[in-house]
Amino acid sequence: MFRMMCQGTAKNATKSRVRAKGEHPLLIIKRIFGFTKVRYRGLAKNGTRFEVLCALANFYMKRRVLMRYCHA
């Protein structure tokens, strides 16, 4: 019984880890940059906007590493 519970817990922990890695950039886009709603009606406009926001989120998450190279 205990062994089955541990296997289920490990499986859920793996799922949670993967989900957290995907959710973190979206949280930054929503909270830091303030984009919570879809703004435009066209798919191309929304797609382009999302790509730019993802690039900005990547820069924001790596800002400490990037600043280390700027000051060196």
Side-chain angles (χ1 to χ4, degrees), residues 17-35:
R17 225 174 279 127
V18 170
R19 186 178 297 121
K21 287 179 183 177
E23 293 282 334
H24 184 66
L26 296 176
L27 177 84
I28 289 174
I29 289 170
K30 290 171 87 173
R31 299 298 172 135
I32 303 295
F33 297 120
F35 295 105

Side-chain angles (χ1 to χ4, degrees), residues 58-60 62-71:
N58 284 334
F59 281 134
Y60 186 82
K62 297 295 181 181
R63 67 189 181 276
R64 289 187 185 103
V65 176
L66 294 171
M67 291 302 286
R68 197 175 324 142
Y69 289 117
C70 289
H71 292 293

Side-chain angles (χ1 to χ4, degrees), residues 34-66:
F35 295 105
T36 55
K37 295 182 181 179
V38 174
R39 187 173 204 142
Y40 304 112
R41 290 183 65 178
L43 287 176
K45 289 180 185 178
N46 285 325
T48 303
R49 190 166 189 238
F50 183 70
E51 289 173 5
V52 170
L53 287 172
C54 287
L56 287 173
N58 284 334
F59 281 134
Y60 186 82
M61 287 188 288
K62 297 295 181 181
R63 67 189 181 276
R64 289 187 185 103
V65 176
L66 294 171

